[in-house]
Amino acid sequence: MGREPWSDRLMVEECDELSTFDPKIKKIIWDSKVAPIINVSFCDDTGRPTCPNQWVHMVKTMTQFGGYRHWFLCPYCRKKYAKLWNRPGDTKFACRKCYNLTYRSQKEHNGSTHRWFKQFTGGNSRRAWGLYEMMFGR
């Protein structure tokens, strides 16, 4: 079930994002032979840092097909995440759970569409597929 639209939780869209998918981060990752520790700081349009430098630990895990996947370690819970967030006015990057952040879509979704669909189909997957085909075609 979705969050109330009037929830006061901060959204990730309002925060600075640090992602392992960022091309600059990928260069740092692939140039390093061991699990790197990177120094992160964000600057505003004038070039002044918006938050102090922070050292972020990274780990890598093997994928199923023999490659590697890199992760950031959250400085608070020490769990692996592909993205860390910095709240406005805060000085550290951390995971979404430690900062209690939410996504905009979680605030907007009220569950009424899902309840209507479930009520209409009676939870029957065959009937649901028939409804899908009727609405969107094949």
Side-chain angles (χ1 to χ4, degrees), residues 9-17 85-86 96 100-104 106:
R9 287 176 64 188
L10 194 63
M11 294 182 290
V12 296
E13 291 86 0
E14 300 169 22
C15 302
D16 291 326
E17 173 185 305
W85 307 94
N86 183 18
R96 189 173 67 87
N100 195 26
L101 301 175
T102 185
Y103 292 106
R104 182 178 316 260
Q106 288 175 311

Side-chain angles (χ1 to χ4, degrees), residues 62-76:
M62 286 191 69
T63 61
Q64 189 174 359
F65 301 108
Y68 290 99
R69 169 101 193 251
H70 292 85
W71 305 92
F72 293 119
L73 283 180
C74 174
Y76 296 113

Side-chain angles (χ1 to χ4, degrees), residues 15-60:
C15 302
D16 291 326
E17 173 185 305
L18 180 63
S19 172
T20 57
F21 306 111
D22 185 356
K24 292 177 236 165
I25 299 292
K26 282 188 181 279
K27 181 168 179 19
I28 293 170
I29 290 170
W30 292 114
D31 288 347
S32 176
K33 297 289 184 219
V34 295
I37 301 172
I38 61 172
N39 190 0
V40 179
S41 66
F42 271 86
C43 297
D44 60 12
D45 296 334
T46 63
R48 291 186 314 210
T50 57
C51 64
N53 292 355
Q54 175 186 355
W55 293 98
V56 179
H57 293 263
M58 299 185 75
V59 294
K60 64 181 181 178

